[in-house]
Amino acid sequence: MAFPRLKRAYLALLAAFVVGNSDDAAAFVSAQGEEDAYNLRVMFVNEFPDATIDLYWENHAYAADHPDRRVLEARIPPRGGWHASETFVGHEFSYVHDGKRHYVSPPPGNVNGEQFLMLAGDTPGFRVRCEVTVSSQQYMDYLDILVKPYWAPRGAARFLELVREKYYDGAALNRVVPKFLTQFGIAKDYFKRTKERELTIWDDFPMDIKFEPGYISFAGSGHDSRTTEVFVVMPGASEEQLEKFGENSWETPFAVIEGDLEKSALTKIYSGYGDMPPFAKGPDSVKIYDVDGYTTYLPGKFPKLDYIDRCYVVDEVGIGEESEL
């Protein structure tokens, strides 16, 4: 099944992790340390666009060629499909993707003995395209985003979920500050943005990935506060500013803008209103969340803002719900 909306409340209880064969995934396991085996509740998630994953339980009590050595535990459908397993730290699972078998040993979870593992194989990431207006809605352009789940798996999974739900379609690019950041993520629909802002996710485990221009992270207001708003580091950000990104626990890059940033839509989005209060007099996020945020406040006070037209997972176009695109 695809990610059900109610599952986010459960995801908020899980510690995030991505499983594959990449150096980043291995580094994540190393960062968690080693502990004695104990019971563990694991949510395995499959974000591939069209590949069902057969997840096997590896029984090392038997020889490698014994028929009971590998037992099918679940078939996990694509596009946010999931399987919940009761296991223990260090137990080994496996799955095959692109003809290669990947082995998964769940690391320690959170204080509740829970863990979230994304089955990502060797993929470099999942591509999302956001079509946006630029130059005060005079033209259309786009941002190509590579979501890298092994950087910040919880953030990556949440972003992909919101994209599939078309949450960002119509959203304002409401905070645009050259050489600093561009921020968005307050839905156009009042009921949708009101509901989603109450659903927070835990911070990702730090991976010590240094921010660079084009990197994308969730915004937040405190520990475990991430909801829907994200920011993109702008071209020309100073080294001092790049060092400051990531000081807060919720600032963990989960994606990157592909291509030449200086020629991308990032540099064409209207930025004349300046930063948000109290730093400047640009659009106030609190007022955008109000019932008249998109009907009166933004068009009345900030008519030159640019907007996201739609976002979609590139490899899912024509598959399932994306066939409507």
Side-chain angles (χ1 to χ4, degrees), residues 239-277:
E239 283 299 320
E240 180 182 5
Q241 181 58 59
L242 293 175
E243 291 292 336
K244 289 182 179 180
F245 286 126
E247 289 182 349
N248 296 313
S249 63
W250 59 89
E251 293 177 350
T252 311
F254 67 85
V256 60
I257 301 292
E258 295 188 295
D260 187 341
L261 294 183
E262 295 292 346
K263 297 180 179 179
S264 74
L266 276 180
T267 62
K268 307 171 190 175
I269 298 168
Y270 185 76
S271 61
Y273 294 123
D275 205 349
M276 66 180 186

mmCIF file of all heavy atoms in Angstrom, residues 239-277:
data_model
loop_
_atom_site.group_PDB
_atom_site.id
_atom_site.type_symbol
_atom_site.label_atom_id
_atom_site.label_comp_id
_atom_site.label_asym_id
_atom_site.label_seq_id
_atom_site.Cartn_x
_atom_site.Cartn_y
_atom_site.Cartn_z
ATOM 1 N N GLU A 239 30.499 31.734 3.026
ATOM 2 C CA GLU A 239 31.000 30.580 3.776
ATOM 3 C C GLU A 239 30.543 30.653 5.227
ATOM 4 O O GLU A 239 30.244 29.629 5.845
ATOM 5 C CB GLU A 239 32.535 30.528 3.702
ATOM 6 C CG GLU A 239 33.073 30.005 2.395
ATOM 7 C CD GLU A 239 32.628 28.573 2.118
ATOM 8 O OE1 GLU A 239 32.599 27.755 3.069
ATOM 9 O OE2 GLU A 239 32.296 28.275 0.961
ATOM 10 N N GLU A 240 30.495 31.857 5.752
ATOM 11 C CA GLU A 240 30.029 32.027 7.132
ATOM 12 C C GLU A 240 28.592 31.568 7.280
ATOM 13 O O GLU A 240 28.226 30.877 8.238
ATOM 14 C CB GLU A 240 30.151 33.494 7.543
ATOM 15 C CG GLU A 240 29.687 33.763 8.968
ATOM 16 C CD GLU A 240 29.774 35.235 9.346
ATOM 17 O OE1 GLU A 240 30.112 36.063 8.463
ATOM 18 O OE2 GLU A 240 29.503 35.555 10.523
ATOM 19 N N GLN A 241 27.754 31.940 6.298
ATOM 20 C CA GLN A 241 26.355 31.536 6.356
ATOM 21 C C GLN A 241 26.216 30.035 6.157
ATOM 22 O O GLN A 241 25.398 29.380 6.819
ATOM 23 C CB GLN A 241 25.546 32.279 5.291
ATOM 24 C CG GLN A 241 24.065 31.931 5.304
ATOM 25 C CD GLN A 241 23.415 32.217 6.640
ATOM 26 O OE1 GLN A 241 23.413 33.352 7.116
ATOM 27 N NE2 GLN A 241 22.873 31.184 7.281
ATOM 28 N N LEU A 242 26.984 29.461 5.244
ATOM 29 C CA LEU A 242 26.927 28.025 5.008
ATOM 30 C C LEU A 242 27.282 27.251 6.275
ATOM 31 O O LEU A 242 26.728 26.170 6.534
ATOM 32 C CB LEU A 242 27.863 27.634 3.862
ATOM 33 C CG LEU A 242 27.477 28.149 2.478
ATOM 34 C CD1 LEU A 242 28.559 27.791 1.459
ATOM 35 C CD2 LEU A 242 26.134 27.576 2.038
ATOM 36 N N GLU A 243 28.209 27.785 7.057
ATOM 37 C CA GLU A 243 28.581 27.140 8.310
ATOM 38 C C GLU A 243 27.446 27.214 9.327
ATOM 39 O O GLU A 243 27.286 26.312 10.162
ATOM 40 C CB GLU A 243 29.841 27.785 8.892
ATOM 41 C CG GLU A 243 31.112 27.515 8.101
ATOM 42 C CD GLU A 243 31.530 26.056 8.166
ATOM 43 O OE1 GLU A 243 31.144 25.359 9.130
ATOM 44 O OE2 GLU A 243 32.241 25.605 7.238
ATOM 45 N N LYS A 244 26.648 28.267 9.260
ATOM 46 C CA LYS A 244 25.546 28.431 10.221
ATOM 47 C C LYS A 244 24.393 27.481 9.911
ATOM 48 O O LYS A 244 23.709 27.015 10.835
ATOM 49 C CB LYS A 244 25.052 29.880 10.207
ATOM 50 C CG LYS A 244 26.027 30.865 10.826
ATOM 51 C CD LYS A 244 25.453 32.271 10.816
ATOM 52 C CE LYS A 244 26.423 33.252 11.461
ATOM 53 N NZ LYS A 244 25.884 34.640 11.452
ATOM 54 N N PHE A 245 24.162 27.214 8.615
ATOM 55 C CA PHE A 245 23.128 26.240 8.282
ATOM 56 C C PHE A 245 23.503 24.899 8.908
ATOM 57 O O PHE A 245 24.633 24.442 8.805
ATOM 58 C CB PHE A 245 23.001 26.067 6.773
ATOM 59 C CG PHE A 245 22.321 27.204 6.064
ATOM 60 C CD1 PHE A 245 22.942 27.838 4.991
ATOM 61 C CD2 PHE A 245 21.070 27.639 6.446
ATOM 62 C CE1 PHE A 245 22.321 28.879 4.328
ATOM 63 C CE2 PHE A 245 20.434 28.684 5.789
ATOM 64 C CZ PHE A 245 21.060 29.308 4.724
ATOM 65 N N GLY A 246 22.549 24.274 9.554
ATOM 66 C CA GLY A 246 22.817 22.990 10.176
ATOM 67 C C GLY A 246 23.113 23.086 11.661
ATOM 68 O O GLY A 246 23.207 22.053 12.334
ATOM 69 N N GLU A 247 23.257 24.306 12.181
ATOM 70 C CA GLU A 247 23.473 24.449 13.617
ATOM 71 C C GLU A 247 22.245 24.022 14.398
ATOM 72 O O GLU A 247 22.342 23.519 15.519
ATOM 73 C CB GLU A 247 23.856 25.886 13.955
ATOM 74 C CG GLU A 247 25.256 26.281 13.486
ATOM 75 C CD GLU A 247 25.615 27.699 13.889
ATOM 76 O OE1 GLU A 247 24.699 28.440 14.349
ATOM 77 O OE2 GLU A 247 26.794 28.075 13.752
ATOM 78 N N ASN A 248 21.061 24.231 13.800
ATOM 79 C CA ASN A 248 19.821 23.786 14.427
ATOM 80 C C ASN A 248 19.572 22.317 14.098
ATOM 81 O O ASN A 248 19.858 21.862 12.994
ATOM 82 C CB ASN A 248 18.644 24.628 13.939
ATOM 83 C CG ASN A 248 18.773 26.087 14.336
ATOM 84 O OD1 ASN A 248 19.076 26.404 15.480
ATOM 85 N ND2 ASN A 248 18.558 26.985 13.378
ATOM 86 N N SER A 249 19.023 21.589 15.042
ATOM 87 C CA SER A 249 18.865 20.140 14.884
ATOM 88 C C SER A 249 17.958 19.755 13.722
ATOM 89 O O SER A 249 18.100 18.670 13.152
ATOM 90 C CB SER A 249 18.311 19.530 16.178
ATOM 91 O OG SER A 249 17.006 20.029 16.468
ATOM 92 N N TRP A 250 17.021 20.619 13.356
ATOM 93 C CA TRP A 250 16.084 20.300 12.291
ATOM 94 C C TRP A 250 16.636 20.638 10.900
ATOM 95 O O TRP A 250 16.022 20.296 9.897
ATOM 96 C CB TRP A 250 14.770 21.042 12.515
ATOM 97 C CG TRP A 250 14.916 22.538 12.560
ATOM 98 C CD1 TRP A 250 14.861 23.415 11.507
ATOM 99 C CD2 TRP A 250 15.142 23.336 13.730
ATOM 100 N NE1 TRP A 250 15.042 24.705 11.941
ATOM 101 C CE2 TRP A 250 15.208 24.697 13.300
ATOM 102 C CE3 TRP A 250 15.286 23.050 15.079
ATOM 103 C CZ2 TRP A 250 15.425 25.753 14.195
ATOM 104 C CZ3 TRP A 250 15.502 24.106 15.966
ATOM 105 C CH2 TRP A 250 15.566 25.432 15.522
ATOM 106 N N GLU A 251 17.758 21.301 10.825
ATOM 107 C CA GLU A 251 18.331 21.678 9.534
ATOM 108 C C GLU A 251 19.278 20.591 9.044
ATOM 109 O O GLU A 251 20.464 20.566 9.391
ATOM 110 C CB GLU A 251 19.050 23.026 9.655
ATOM 111 C CG GLU A 251 18.103 24.186 9.921
ATOM 112 C CD GLU A 251 18.825 25.507 10.103
ATOM 113 O OE1 GLU A 251 20.059 25.526 10.212
ATOM 114 O OE2 GLU A 251 18.119 26.548 10.134
ATOM 115 N N THR A 252 18.742 19.694 8.252
ATOM 116 C CA THR A 252 19.503 18.586 7.692
ATOM 117 C C THR A 252 19.201 18.495 6.205
ATOM 118 O O THR A 252 18.041 18.302 5.825
ATOM 119 C CB THR A 252 19.122 17.253 8.358
ATOM 120 O OG1 THR A 252 19.147 17.401 9.771
ATOM 121 C CG2 THR A 252 20.068 16.142 7.939
ATOM 122 N N PRO A 253 20.173 18.648 5.317
ATOM 123 C CA PRO A 253 19.872 18.580 3.885
ATOM 124 C C PRO A 253 19.370 17.209 3.477
ATOM 125 O O PRO A 253 19.907 16.185 3.915
ATOM 126 C CB PRO A 253 21.211 18.902 3.219
ATOM 127 C CG PRO A 253 22.242 18.612 4.254
ATOM 128 C CD PRO A 253 21.601 18.879 5.580
ATOM 129 N N PHE A 254 18.314 17.201 2.662
ATOM 130 C CA PHE A 254 17.768 15.937 2.174
ATOM 131 C C PHE A 254 17.690 15.896 0.655
ATOM 132 O O PHE A 254 17.334 14.870 0.069
ATOM 133 C CB PHE A 254 16.369 15.675 2.756
ATOM 134 C CG PHE A 254 15.314 16.640 2.268
ATOM 135 C CD1 PHE A 254 14.645 16.416 1.080
ATOM 136 C CD2 PHE A 254 14.999 17.771 3.002
ATOM 137 C CE1 PHE A 254 13.677 17.302 0.620
ATOM 138 C CE2 PHE A 254 14.039 18.664 2.559
ATOM 139 C CZ PHE A 254 13.382 18.427 1.357
ATOM 140 N N ALA A 255 18.036 17.003 0.000
ATOM 141 C CA ALA A 255 17.940 17.061 -1.458
ATOM 142 C C ALA A 255 18.829 18.186 -1.971
ATOM 143 O O ALA A 255 19.326 19.020 -1.202
ATOM 144 C CB ALA A 255 16.491 17.299 -1.895
ATOM 145 N N VAL A 256 19.005 18.218 -3.299
ATOM 146 C CA VAL A 256 19.832 19.248 -3.917
ATOM 147 C C VAL A 256 19.226 19.627 -5.261
ATOM 148 O O VAL A 256 18.673 18.778 -5.971
ATOM 149 C CB VAL A 256 21.286 18.740 -4.091
ATOM 150 C CG1 VAL A 256 21.340 17.506 -4.964
ATOM 151 C CG2 VAL A 256 22.191 19.839 -4.642
ATOM 152 N N ILE A 257 19.305 20.910 -5.603
ATOM 153 C CA ILE A 257 18.873 21.378 -6.919
ATOM 154 C C ILE A 257 19.925 20.969 -7.942
ATOM 155 O O ILE A 257 21.119 21.229 -7.756
ATOM 156 C CB ILE A 257 18.703 22.909 -6.943
ATOM 157 C CG1 ILE A 257 17.685 23.354 -5.896
ATOM 158 C CG2 ILE A 257 18.291 23.378 -8.339
ATOM 159 C CD1 ILE A 257 16.277 22.939 -6.170
ATOM 160 N N GLU A 258 19.491 20.344 -9.023
ATOM 161 C CA GLU A 258 20.422 19.910 -10.063
ATOM 162 C C GLU A 258 20.644 21.025 -11.094
ATOM 163 O O GLU A 258 19.790 21.888 -11.284
ATOM 164 C CB GLU A 258 19.886 18.658 -10.751
ATOM 165 C CG GLU A 258 19.799 17.448 -9.835
ATOM 166 C CD GLU A 258 19.455 16.184 -10.592
ATOM 167 O OE1 GLU A 258 18.338 16.103 -11.155
ATOM 168 O OE2 GLU A 258 20.297 15.260 -10.644
ATOM 169 N N GLY A 259 21.773 20.976 -11.757
ATOM 170 C CA GLY A 259 22.060 21.923 -12.824
ATOM 171 C C GLY A 259 22.817 23.146 -12.346
ATOM 172 O O GLY A 259 23.286 23.230 -11.208
ATOM 173 N N ASP A 260 22.948 24.116 -13.243
ATOM 174 C CA ASP A 260 23.670 25.360 -12.990
ATOM 175 C C ASP A 260 22.787 26.299 -12.174
ATOM 176 O O ASP A 260 21.820 26.869 -12.688
ATOM 177 C CB ASP A 260 24.060 26.006 -14.324
ATOM 178 C CG ASP A 260 24.954 27.228 -14.147
ATOM 179 O OD1 ASP A 260 24.991 27.789 -13.035
ATOM 180 O OD2 ASP A 260 25.609 27.619 -15.136
ATOM 181 N N LEU A 261 23.101 26.478 -10.907
ATOM 182 C CA LEU A 261 22.256 27.291 -10.038
ATOM 183 C C LEU A 261 22.156 28.733 -10.511
ATOM 184 O O LEU A 261 21.100 29.369 -10.401
ATOM 185 C CB LEU A 261 22.798 27.257 -8.603
ATOM 186 C CG LEU A 261 22.747 25.926 -7.858
ATOM 187 C CD1 LEU A 261 23.270 26.115 -6.439
ATOM 188 C CD2 LEU A 261 21.337 25.370 -7.830
ATOM 189 N N GLU A 262 23.259 29.263 -11.025
ATOM 190 C CA GLU A 262 23.269 30.665 -11.443
ATOM 191 C C GLU A 262 22.326 30.921 -12.608
ATOM 192 O O GLU A 262 21.865 32.047 -12.812
ATOM 193 C CB GLU A 262 24.686 31.087 -11.823
ATOM 194 C CG GLU A 262 25.682 31.062 -10.658
ATOM 195 C CD GLU A 262 25.391 32.120 -9.604
ATOM 196 O OE1 GLU A 262 24.587 33.035 -9.890
ATOM 197 O OE2 GLU A 262 25.971 32.032 -8.511
ATOM 198 N N LYS A 263 22.031 29.883 -13.382
ATOM 199 C CA LYS A 263 21.125 30.027 -14.521
ATOM 200 C C LYS A 263 19.753 29.419 -14.246
ATOM 201 O O LYS A 263 18.891 29.423 -15.117
ATOM 202 C CB LYS A 263 21.737 29.366 -15.764
ATOM 203 C CG LYS A 263 23.040 30.008 -16.219
ATOM 204 C CD LYS A 263 23.597 29.299 -17.447
ATOM 205 C CE LYS A 263 24.894 29.947 -17.915
ATOM 206 N NZ LYS A 263 25.464 29.253 -19.113
ATOM 207 N N SER A 264 19.556 28.928 -13.043
ATOM 208 C CA SER A 264 18.312 28.235 -12.710
ATOM 209 C C SER A 264 17.220 29.216 -12.310
ATOM 210 O O SER A 264 17.445 30.428 -12.158
ATOM 211 C CB SER A 264 18.549 27.257 -11.562
ATOM 212 O OG SER A 264 18.697 27.954 -10.327
ATOM 213 N N ALA A 265 16.023 28.670 -12.096
ATOM 214 C CA ALA A 265 14.884 29.487 -11.675
ATOM 215 C C ALA A 265 15.125 30.158 -10.331
ATOM 216 O O ALA A 265 14.490 31.179 -10.026
ATOM 217 C CB ALA A 265 13.633 28.618 -11.612
ATOM 218 N N LEU A 266 16.025 29.619 -9.515
ATOM 219 C CA LEU A 266 16.298 30.212 -8.210
ATOM 220 C C LEU A 266 16.676 31.684 -8.309
ATOM 221 O O LEU A 266 16.309 32.489 -7.449
ATOM 222 C CB LEU A 266 17.435 29.459 -7.510
ATOM 223 C CG LEU A 266 17.100 28.198 -6.723
ATOM 224 C CD1 LEU A 266 18.362 27.623 -6.109
ATOM 225 C CD2 LEU A 266 16.062 28.479 -5.646
ATOM 226 N N THR A 267 17.404 32.037 -9.350
ATOM 227 C CA THR A 267 17.873 33.417 -9.496
ATOM 228 C C THR A 267 16.842 34.317 -10.174
ATOM 229 O O THR A 267 17.068 35.524 -10.294
ATOM 230 C CB THR A 267 19.176 33.452 -10.307
ATOM 231 O OG1 THR A 267 18.931 32.928 -11.628
ATOM 232 C CG2 THR A 267 20.249 32.617 -9.634
ATOM 233 N N LYS A 268 15.715 33.738 -10.598
ATOM 234 C CA LYS A 268 14.693 34.503 -11.313
ATOM 235 C C LYS A 268 13.421 34.715 -10.488
ATOM 236 O O LYS A 268 12.525 35.442 -10.905
ATOM 237 C CB LYS A 268 14.337 33.797 -12.625
ATOM 238 C CG LYS A 268 15.540 33.489 -13.509
ATOM 239 C CD LYS A 268 15.135 32.604 -14.678
ATOM 240 C CE LYS A 268 16.359 32.083 -15.427
ATOM 241 N NZ LYS A 268 15.982 31.128 -16.502
ATOM 242 N N ILE A 269 13.346 34.044 -9.340
ATOM 243 C CA ILE A 269 12.178 34.193 -8.473
ATOM 244 C C ILE A 269 12.188 35.583 -7.844
ATOM 245 O O ILE A 269 13.230 36.066 -7.391
ATOM 246 C CB ILE A 269 12.188 33.103 -7.380
ATOM 247 C CG1 ILE A 269 12.104 31.715 -8.019
ATOM 248 C CG2 ILE A 269 11.041 33.303 -6.401
ATOM 249 C CD1 ILE A 269 12.398 30.576 -7.054
ATOM 250 N N TYR A 270 11.028 36.237 -7.799
ATOM 251 C CA TYR A 270 10.972 37.618 -7.289
ATOM 252 C C TYR A 270 11.423 37.681 -5.839
ATOM 253 O O TYR A 270 10.951 36.913 -4.989
ATOM 254 C CB TYR A 270 9.553 38.171 -7.411
ATOM 255 C CG TYR A 270 9.482 39.624 -7.003
ATOM 256 C CD1 TYR A 270 9.942 40.627 -7.849
ATOM 257 C CD2 TYR A 270 8.983 39.991 -5.754
ATOM 258 C CE1 TYR A 270 9.906 41.964 -7.467
ATOM 259 C CE2 TYR A 270 8.935 41.328 -5.371
ATOM 260 C CZ TYR A 270 9.402 42.309 -6.237
ATOM 261 O OH TYR A 270 9.365 43.623 -5.851
ATOM 262 N N SER A 271 12.339 38.621 -5.557
ATOM 263 C CA SER A 271 12.921 38.730 -4.216
ATOM 264 C C SER A 271 12.829 40.140 -3.655
ATOM 265 O O SER A 271 13.468 40.454 -2.645
ATOM 266 C CB SER A 271 14.395 38.298 -4.252
ATOM 267 O OG SER A 271 15.153 39.134 -5.128
ATOM 268 N N GLY A 272 12.040 40.984 -4.268
ATOM 269 C CA GLY A 272 12.018 42.399 -3.894
ATOM 270 C C GLY A 272 11.390 42.720 -2.552
ATOM 271 O O GLY A 272 11.569 43.828 -2.036
ATOM 272 N N TYR A 273 10.649 41.783 -1.972
ATOM 273 C CA TYR A 273 9.986 42.079 -0.703
ATOM 274 C C TYR A 273 10.892 41.877 0.511
ATOM 275 O O TYR A 273 10.548 42.289 1.612
ATOM 276 C CB TYR A 273 8.723 41.225 -0.552
ATOM 277 C CG TYR A 273 7.653 41.567 -1.553
ATOM 278 C CD1 TYR A 273 7.133 40.605 -2.414
ATOM 279 C CD2 TYR A 273 7.151 42.864 -1.653
ATOM 280 C CE1 TYR A 273 6.149 40.904 -3.328
ATOM 281 C CE2 TYR A 273 6.162 43.189 -2.576
ATOM 282 C CZ TYR A 273 5.665 42.203 -3.416
ATOM 283 O OH TYR A 273 4.701 42.525 -4.324
ATOM 284 N N GLY A 274 12.021 41.239 0.328
ATOM 285 C CA GLY A 274 12.933 41.042 1.443
ATOM 286 C C GLY A 274 12.522 39.902 2.358
ATOM 287 O O GLY A 274 11.566 39.169 2.099
ATOM 288 N N ASP A 275 13.263 39.764 3.444
ATOM 289 C CA ASP A 275 13.050 38.662 4.382
ATOM 290 C C ASP A 275 11.750 38.860 5.166
ATOM 291 O O ASP A 275 11.161 39.934 5.188
ATOM 292 C CB ASP A 275 14.239 38.553 5.331
ATOM 293 C CG ASP A 275 14.426 37.158 5.902
ATOM 294 O OD1 ASP A 275 13.523 36.319 5.733
ATOM 295 O OD2 ASP A 275 15.485 36.910 6.514
ATOM 296 N N MET A 276 11.337 37.814 5.852
ATOM 297 C CA MET A 276 10.108 37.851 6.644
ATOM 298 C C MET A 276 10.343 38.602 7.961
ATOM 299 O O MET A 276 11.482 38.791 8.389
ATOM 300 C CB MET A 276 9.654 36.421 6.944
ATOM 301 C CG MET A 276 10.599 35.637 7.835
ATOM 302 S SD MET A 276 9.987 33.957 8.137
ATOM 303 C CE MET A 276 11.198 33.394 9.351
ATOM 304 N N PRO A 277 9.254 39.032 8.606
ATOM 305 C CA PRO A 277 9.383 39.642 9.929
ATOM 306 C C PRO A 277 9.922 38.611 10.932
ATOM 307 O O PRO A 277 9.657 37.414 10.780
ATOM 308 C CB PRO A 277 7.939 40.033 10.275
ATOM 309 C CG PRO A 277 7.239 40.107 8.943
ATOM 310 C CD PRO A 277 7.885 39.058 8.101
#
